[in-house]
Amino acid sequence: MATRPGSAPQQPTRRRLLAAMAALGVVTTGGMLWQRSRHQAPRWVSAVRKPTGQYAVVALAADGRLIWEFGLPHRGHSVVPSPDGQLLAAFPRRPGQTIWLLDSTDGRLLRTLQAGPGRQMNGHGVFSADGRSLLVTETVFGETTHGEIAFYDVRSGTLTRRFASGGLDPHQCLWCGGLLVIAHGGYIEFPNRSKPKQLDPLRPPNLAWLDASSGQLRRADVLADPGLSIRHLAADGEAVFAGFQHDDGPAARASLLGYATPAQSLQPMAADATTWAAFNGYVGSVALDASGLQVIATSPKGGVLGIWDRRNLAFAGLRRQADVCGVAADVQGWVASSGFGVVMNAAAEVVRTDYAFDNHLAVI
């Protein structure tokens, strides 16, 4: 694939609107918006490992102070706020069987969602625009292992429908331009991890664009490099930014970040070989900052955080922080967390905690 940074739209009216909305306290997540009260202190929410070795979901104030904690029976992965910010969906690390729906104000458990027999949850999902359904990426085991999107009713906790995800090994999913966009890793997995996972050459990784109302696959963007797996996403209403993993690991020099729109297939974003080498073959999280003008990609394996300009897709700089992975929009622009308990932001401010943060971070 050829890199096409010149094809990115220049700052459109919507970008300026988002910047103004951010100044008023409107936060974006997965293409959705909600208004945060001026009197509510920012809260960081993440799955963590505690100093005792136990797992939990915690909400922290901007100074690292604990607001609430919800204990987990095993390691968590991502935490996704509902469109109105009142509800949190806490996802288990793959292979998972249970999602916990929590009250965002106090961490109280409201209900759980359970995967059915012969399937696993893959650590990610997204709320419907009205907040009534949670769409979850799952892998189904059988004669042919395949990916599905499962719809769970938030109020009852029941499974209401499901359809094929458009690929193998669905991981993160988000909304863009009214479509559901799904990152497919392309790995064959085996129940109970009975064998090591492996890339399926007949069903390569792809970025699938689906009509969620019908389940119809509108498009599947396949990467030319067979060693790349698509894992993590960030999106606004106009574009998706996809983070990759490369089988070559430390030896990888390929672009590990891509850009796509509803009208343009997935293209690699530019940075020099030294920058990509610093990512150590893996992007752990992707986010847009509060203004929508910067794209952030992290690598815990490389201990780096890269910044790209959203307007022209140009690489803008690299920061180093050991085991950095979680990243989200924040009042300072963006905030990132690490497995060593460090939280850093765009203003180079650092808060240290006793928690080992897992891969993903949310701000509510």
Side-chain angles (χ1 to χ4, degrees):
M1 292 181 296
T3 304
R4 296 171 55 191
S7 64
Q10 297 303 307
Q11 184 176 357
T13 301
R14 186 176 183 277
R15 296 267 70 76
R16 291 191 288 270
L17 176 61
L18 279 176
M21 293 173 82
L24 294 174
V26 176
V27 179
T28 68
T29 179
M32 303 179 192
L33 307 175
W34 74 85
Q35 177 73 39
R36 180 196 290 141
S37 166
R38 289 180 179 274
H39 304 293
Q40 179 185 3
R43 287 181 291 175
W44 307 325
V45 182
S46 178
V48 300
R49 186 180 69 248
K50 298 163 57 178
T52 59
Q54 298 171 309
Y55 296 102
V57 173
V58 298
L60 305 178
D63 60 1
R65 175 177 50 87
L66 178 67
I67 297 175
W68 56 254
E69 174 186 307
F70 174 76
L72 297 177
H74 47 73
R75 185 174 173 182
H77 190 63
S78 70
V79 181
V80 177
S82 62
D84 63 6
Q86 300 303 305
L87 185 68
L88 297 172
F91 291 82
R93 186 172 180 83
R94 183 183 62 187
Q97 295 294 314
T98 304
I99 295 170
W100 302 271
L101 297 181
L102 309 177
D103 187 311
S104 66
T105 59
D106 56 14
R108 176 169 44 94
L109 177 65
L110 301 177
R111 65 194 56 84
T112 59
L113 311 176
Q114 300 291 335
R119 62 180 53 238
Q120 69 177 36
M121 295 167 168
N122 289 340
H124 287 276
V126 66
F127 283 92
S128 59
D130 60 12
R132 295 179 181 177
S133 296
L134 184 67
L135 286 65
V136 179
T137 57
E138 297 187 355
T139 293
V140 182
F141 300 102
E143 281 191 30
T144 302
T145 299
H146 65 280
E148 286 190 349
I149 300 297
F151 285 65
Y152 292 90
D153 182 270
V154 169
R155 293 181 179 178
S156 66
T158 57
L159 177 70
T160 59
R161 58 186 286 237
R162 59 171 69 113
F163 54 69
S165 65
L168 179 64
D169 184 22
H171 198 55
Q172 193 166 8
C173 62
L174 289 176
W175 298 105
C176 179
L179 296 175
L180 183 66
V181 187
I182 305 146
H184 288 99
Y187 282 98
I188 301 173
E189 292 190 273
F190 299 91
N192 303 317
R193 304 290 179 94
S194 58
K195 299 179 184 178
K197 66 180 183 179
Q198 59 191 41
L199 284 172
D200 184 346
L202 300 179
R203 292 182 290 173
N206 74 51
L207 188 69
W209 299 72
L210 277 80
D211 182 331
S213 62
S214 65
Q216 179 184 3
L217 178 65
R218 294 288 186 84
R219 193 178 87 216
D221 300 339
V222 178
L223 296 169
D225 187 335
L228 284 172
S229 173
I230 308 175
R231 312 304 300 168
H232 300 108
L233 305 174
D236 55 25
E238 298 166 355
V240 171
F241 298 88
F244 309 145
Q245 174 182 329
H246 202 286
D247 269 1
D248 287 347
R253 296 296 185 270
S255 171
L256 296 176
L257 190 65
Y259 168 89
T261 75
Q264 176 184 320
S265 62
L266 187 61
Q267 303 289 327
M269 290 172 63
D272 61 33
T274 301
T275 297
W276 292 127
F279 277 77
N280 206 4
Y282 181 70
V283 168
S285 288
V286 187
L288 290 161
D289 77 339
S291 72
L293 300 180
Q294 289 187 327
V295 183
I296 317 299
T298 63
S299 173
K301 294 183 178 182
V304 295
L305 178 151
I307 303 170
W308 281 259
D309 189 309
R310 166 66 178 85
R311 295 161 293 188
N312 58 17
L313 307 187
F315 178 66
L318 197 69
R319 297 196 186 186
R320 296 190 179 274
Q321 178 62 57
D323 205 31
V324 64
C325 195
V327 63
D330 188 63
V331 291
Q332 294 286 352
W334 54 262
V335 62
S337 56
S338 85
F340 292 112
V342 173
V343 181
M344 59 184 286
N345 65 19
E349 298 168 336
V350 172
V351 172
R352 299 185 183 277
T353 77
D354 292 329
Y355 301 105
F357 293 94
D358 216 280
N359 291 52
H360 301 286
L361 181 69
V363 176
I364 59 173

